[in-house]
Amino acid sequence: MSDAAVNLSAGDAAQPASRFTRMMKRSLRRPELGSFGATIFVFLFFAVTAGNSGLFSALGIVNFLQVSAQLGILAAAVALLMIGGEFDLSLGSMIGFAGIVIGIAVTQFHLPIWLSVVIAFGVAILVGTANGMLVTRTRLPSFIVTLAGYFVLRGLSLATTRALTGRTQIPYITRNTTETAFVSLFGGKFGGPLFTWLGHMGWIGIKADGTPLVSGIPMSVAWWLGLTALATWILVKTEFGNWIYAVGGDAQAARNVGVPVGRVKILLFVGTACAATLFAVIQVLETGSADTLRGTQKEFESVIAAVIGGNLLTGGYGSAIGAMFGALIFGTVEMGIFYTGIDTDWFMVFLGLMVVLAVLFNNFIRRKATEAR
Amino acid sequence: MASPESAANPPLIELDGVGKSFGTVTALDGISIVVRHGEVHCLLGDNGAGKSTLIKILSGVHQPTAGTLRIDGAPTMLQSPREALDRGIAAVFQDLAMIPLMSITRNFFLGREPVLGRFLTRRIDMKRADAIVFSELANMGITVRDPQQAVGTLSGGERQCVAIARAVYHGARVLILDEPTSALGVHQASIVLRYIAQARARGIGVIFITHNINHAYPIGDVFTLLNRGRTHGTFRKSEITEAEVLDIMAGRRDLKSLQVDLDRLTAENAVRLH
C-alpha cells in the first residue's frame, strides 16, 4: 500500500509539470511581463488624470499610436540587436541619411519614388553591414564603432544636401506624384470605412461636412505591429532567433557549438539600419519632405523603449513584444503629459526615471529567471 | 575496461608530434596521443601545462603549427569548431558549456535545431526538442520539471551532464571534457563521472582533462601527463599506480633526484673535510 503510494509520487515527479502550471511559471518568467504591467498602469493613470482631456478620443488615440508606432518600428529591431548583445548609436543619423537619399534621388535625379526607396534600403544594408563588420572584425565595443557612424552619417547628410541643394531640407518630394498607391503604403492610412461608419453612428467626432475627424489609422501602426510580429516569430520560433539569444548570452559558448556569431551580428546591424530606413520612408512620404536633422535622439529613445520592454542592456534576454509595450508607454506618456496640461519639459524627467526603474526591475527578473528552483 | 591496442580497435583520433606556437611562445611541443573507441584517456597536468591549447587544437579552435592530427587514420586540419563537430569531435568546456539565460532545450539544440516547414514557415520543432531533452536527461537520471526552464536554474553538475548529453546526442564519437568535475562537490562530481562511464560503455572515446587524480584514476584507461607543453609519457592503467601518477604530476621525481644530489654532495664534503 505505502509502496504503491511512493511509486506513484515518484512517477509523478518524473513527468513534466502539468500544462497549466508550466504556462503560469513560464509567463512569470517572460521578459515583457513588467512592461505589460507598466502599460496598464500608465493607461489607468491617464484615464484618471486626463480622462476628459481628449487623450482617449479617436484623435487622441491615433496621435499617441502614431508616436508609439514610429518608435516601435525602431524598437523592434533594436530589441533584436540588444538581445544579440550590441548597440547601434548610428540609428538616428541613419534615419536622417535615408530620408536625404530618397529626397535627393527624387528631386535631384528625378527617379521614381519606389526606386529611391529601394536605393535607400540598399544604402541601409551597406551601412548595417559596415557597422557589423567593424564590430565583429575589430572586436571594439559597438558603442564606439556606431558612435563614429552617428557623426559620419549626420555629417554626410548635411554636407551632401547643402552641396546639392544649398539648403538642409528637401521639400516637395511627393508633390504631383503619380505613385499614390506606393506612397500610401507607407504614408497613408487604413481603416477609413470603419471610421466613416463610426462617425455615422455618432460614436466619434465628425467635421462640418459629415466626414469623421479621424479618417483612418496611420500605416505606421500596421508596419509597427507587423514588424513586432515578425521579430517575435524570428526570436521565438526560428533557429536564427535561438542564435540571437546565444550570441548575446555568451558569444564564446555560441561559437564553440558552431553558431556563426559574426554573421548573426552583422545581420542584426542590417536590421536596425533597415528599420531606421523604414522609419525615414514613412516620415518622408507622410510629410512629403526630408530634413537632415530627422531622427535626432531616436538612437536613445529606441533603446529606452527596448529597456522598458524588459530587454537587458547586457544582451541575451528580452523580447520584441516587450519593446512594443515599451514604445506604447513612451508614446502614451509623451502625448498624455501634453493632454493633461503638464509642462511637457517634465516628459524627459519622467523618461529618465522610467529607465532607471526598468533597468532595476529587469535585473530582478533576470535573477529570478536563473534562480534554482 | 580492457581495450586492446589492436587492429580491431583502430585510433579514432591521433596526434603525432603536434606543436603550437603563438609567435615566439611555444605552448605545445611534440605531443603524441592516441584515442580509441570506448576508452577514457586522461590528460593530467598542472596549470600552464598546455591542456587548454591541446583542447583547442582537438576541437578545431586552433590549428597546430607542427605535426599532424589524424582522424580515422587520415591526416586532417580542422578549421573550425563546426568542422570538428561535423567529424564527431565535441568539446565540453569548463565554464562555457551552457548559456545560463537560455532554456535547457534551446541550449541542447543550439546550432543544431530540429526544424519543421520550409522557407517562411521554417521553425524550430520545439515540441519534439522538448521531448528529446526530457527523455535524454531522464536516461541519465536527471529529472527536469520543465525543459523550457533556464539553464541557470540547474546545479553545476546537472549543467555538465546536460552539456555532455548534448554532445553525445548530436553524434559525438570523441568527447573532450575540460575539467568537468573541478568546480563540483563530491556528490555532483560522482554523477558526472558515472555519466562519463556510460558514454564510454556506448563506445565513445573520451578525452578527460583534469588536474584532479582522484577523479581521473578511477575512470581512466590511459593517462598522459603534460608539463610545460610537453608530454611526460603515456601509461595504461595496468602500467602505473595512482601514487606514481601523483608522483609525476607533483614533480616528486624531481624532488627525489634533488635529494640524491644533495646526499652525494654531503658525502663528498665529508670526505674533503677528513
Side-chain angles (χ1 to χ4, degrees):
Chain A
M1 174 65 214
S2 71
D3 272 351
V6 167
N7 280 342
L8 199 70
S9 64
D12 275 349
Q15 289 301 312
S18 87
R19 183 170 282 266
F20 178 73
T21 51
R22 235 188 324 167
M23 267 175 55
M24 285 302 290
K25 275 189 177 166
R26 278 182 199 178
S27 66
L28 282 178
R29 289 200 301 268
R30 294 298 308 167
E32 59 268 3
L33 176 76
S35 59
F36 181 67
T39 307
I40 292 174
F41 172 78
V42 163
F43 273 84
L44 287 177
F45 178 79
F46 284 112
V48 172
T49 60
N52 303 318
S53 65
L55 177 65
F56 294 110
S57 71
L59 190 63
I61 291 173
V62 165
N63 275 342
F64 74 69
L65 277 185
Q66 186 163 20
V67 174
S68 305
Q70 295 194 351
L71 184 61
I73 288 169
L74 303 175
V78 167
L80 295 195
L81 183 68
M82 274 176 61
I83 294 170
E86 302 291 346
F87 277 106
D88 187 358
L89 290 185
S90 70
L91 187 74
S93 302
M94 183 66 219
I95 293 171
F97 190 59
I100 292 306
V101 167
I102 297 166
I104 288 175
V106 172
T107 60
Q108 300 290 311
F109 295 97
H110 307 291
L111 297 177
I113 292 175
W114 72 264
L115 186 57
S116 311
V117 168
V118 169
I119 290 170
F121 275 107
V123 170
I125 291 170
L126 284 181
V127 170
T129 310
N131 276 337
M133 295 274 267
L134 274 171
V135 168
T136 52
R137 288 283 155 82
T138 63
R139 303 193 177 217
L140 287 169
S142 52
F143 196 82
I144 294 300
V145 170
T146 57
L147 187 61
Y150 170 92
F151 286 109
V152 169
L153 289 176
R154 191 66 77 192
L156 266 181
S157 308
L158 278 165
T160 47
T161 314
R162 225 194 289 270
L164 285 170
T165 68
R167 309 174 49 189
T168 57
Q169 291 155 325
I170 306 174
Y172 308 131
I173 292 170
T174 52
R175 194 172 60 170
N176 301 333
T177 182
T178 52
E179 301 170 70
T180 47
F182 185 80
V183 168
S184 59
L185 179 62
F186 296 94
K189 289 175 173 155
F190 67 97
L194 175 72
F195 283 88
T196 311
W197 179 74
L198 286 173
H200 262 300
M201 302 300 286
W203 290 339
I204 60 170
I206 50 172
K207 294 183 203 160
D209 60 356
T211 55
L213 215 52
V214 177
S215 58
I217 301 169
M219 279 305 289
S220 53
V221 175
W223 284 102
W224 174 37
L225 298 178
L227 221 59
T228 302
L230 177 69
T232 303
W233 169 267
I234 290 174
L235 272 180
V236 179
K237 291 288 184 187
T238 68
E239 302 148 272
F240 189 72
N242 213 21
W243 299 352
I244 294 175
Y245 282 116
V247 162
D250 190 335
Q252 195 55 48
R255 203 171 280 125
N256 285 340
V257 294
V259 172
V261 174
R263 213 173 71 205
V264 171
K265 290 198 170 178
I266 291 169
L267 279 171
L268 292 176
F269 277 108
V270 170
T272 52
C274 283
T277 304
L278 178 59
F279 181 103
V281 171
I282 287 170
Q283 270 201 340
V284 166
L285 298 187
E286 263 180 5
T287 62
S289 67
D291 188 320
T292 49
L293 292 182
R294 287 260 170 84
T296 314
Q297 289 209 345
K298 289 297 170 204
E299 59 281 333
F300 297 119
E301 292 178 6
S302 52
V303 169
I304 289 172
V307 168
I308 291 176
N311 292 281
L312 285 187
L313 283 165
T314 44
Y317 194 67
S319 85
I321 293 182
M324 182 185 80
F325 285 125
L328 185 59
I329 290 172
F330 194 105
T332 311
V333 172
E334 190 172 7
M335 284 292 120
I337 284 182
F338 172 75
Y339 273 92
T340 41
I342 304 170
D343 188 343
T344 47
D345 295 344
W346 287 97
F347 177 58
M348 292 219 193
V349 176
F350 168 83
L351 264 191
L353 294 177
M354 189 80 193
V355 168
V356 173
L357 260 182
V359 170
L360 290 175
F361 186 77
N362 289 350
N363 281 345
F364 171 74
I365 287 284
R366 173 178 50 175
R367 245 182 298 128
K368 280 276 158 209
T370 56
E371 218 166 56
R373 282 189 303 277
Chain B
M1 181 91 201
S3 67
E5 295 182 51
S6 63
N9 193 2
L12 274 167
I13 190 165
E14 214 176 338
L15 292 185
D16 191 359
V18 162
K20 173 75 183 174
S21 337
F22 299 97
T24 56
V25 182
T26 306
L28 284 179
D29 188 19
I31 304 287
S32 299
I33 58 171
V34 174
V35 181
R36 293 166 201 276
H37 280 291
E39 196 176 80
V40 176
H41 194 127
C42 296
L43 286 175
L44 297 151
D46 220 337
N47 294 332
K51 289 177 293 181
S52 39
T53 310
L54 189 53
I55 303 162
K56 285 181 176 162
I57 286 177
L58 287 166
S59 60
V61 178
H62 290 329
Q63 285 71 45
T65 45
T68 34
L69 170 76
R70 280 191 286 270
I71 299 173
D72 300 321
T76 312
M77 188 69 109
L78 295 170
Q79 296 298 338
S80 68
R82 181 93 221 185
E83 195 185 335
L85 280 174
D86 291 341
R87 301 294 304 265
I89 301 164
V92 175
F93 291 92
Q94 191 175 0
D95 42 1
L96 299 172
M98 295 267 139
I99 298 166
L101 278 169
M102 289 172 75
S103 73
I104 301 172
T105 303
R106 282 179 177 268
N107 265 293
F108 198 92
F109 286 99
L110 182 59
R112 283 157 182 254
E113 297 83 356
V115 289
L116 275 176
R118 289 162 159 253
F119 304 116
L120 290 177
T121 63
R122 190 182 159 98
R123 62 200 183 273
I124 302 176
D125 189 350
M126 207 52 97
K127 236 182 189 166
R128 209 183 107 212
D130 275 348
I132 292 169
V133 167
F134 190 77
S135 69
E136 286 292 313
L137 294 188
N139 277 348
M140 66 168 120
I142 297 176
T143 337
V144 285
R145 262 153 288 172
D146 181 0
Q148 287 293 332
Q149 78 190 53
V151 158
T153 62
L154 298 177
S155 71
E158 287 172 330
R159 272 187 230 190
Q160 284 292 345
C161 283
V162 173
I164 297 169
R166 168 174 70 182
V168 172
Y169 177 79
H170 291 304
R173 300 183 301 143
V174 179
L175 200 53
I176 305 165
L177 306 175
D178 180 15
E179 303 273 7
T181 57
S182 61
L184 304 179
V186 178
H187 174 67
Q188 299 271 346
S190 71
I191 295 175
V192 175
L193 291 175
R194 195 165 300 147
Y195 193 61
I196 294 173
Q198 271 188 43
R200 170 174 63 188
R202 286 205 212 177
I204 292 168
V206 179
I207 300 175
F208 182 9
I209 292 114
T210 184
H211 60 259
N212 188 335
I213 184 65
N214 294 328
H215 290 161
Y217 199 77
I219 198 162
D221 300 305
V222 184
F223 302 89
T224 294
L225 299 151
L226 282 180
N227 194 14
R228 300 191 178 212
R230 292 169 168 277
T231 47
H232 272 204
T234 296
F235 309 91
R236 301 202 67 78
K237 198 172 194 167
S238 51
E239 300 164 0
I240 194 165
T241 65
E242 187 168 347
E244 281 171 323
V245 175
L246 204 56
D247 260 6
I248 303 171
M249 273 180 75
R252 255 181 243 163
R253 277 188 184 174
D254 294 346
L255 288 175
K256 272 181 192 159
S257 66
L258 176 69
Q259 191 61 50
V260 172
D261 285 349
L262 285 175
D263 289 348
R264 191 167 43 85
L265 278 172
T266 334
E268 282 172 7
N269 278 343
V271 169
R272 203 178 303 152
L273 281 174
H274 274 284

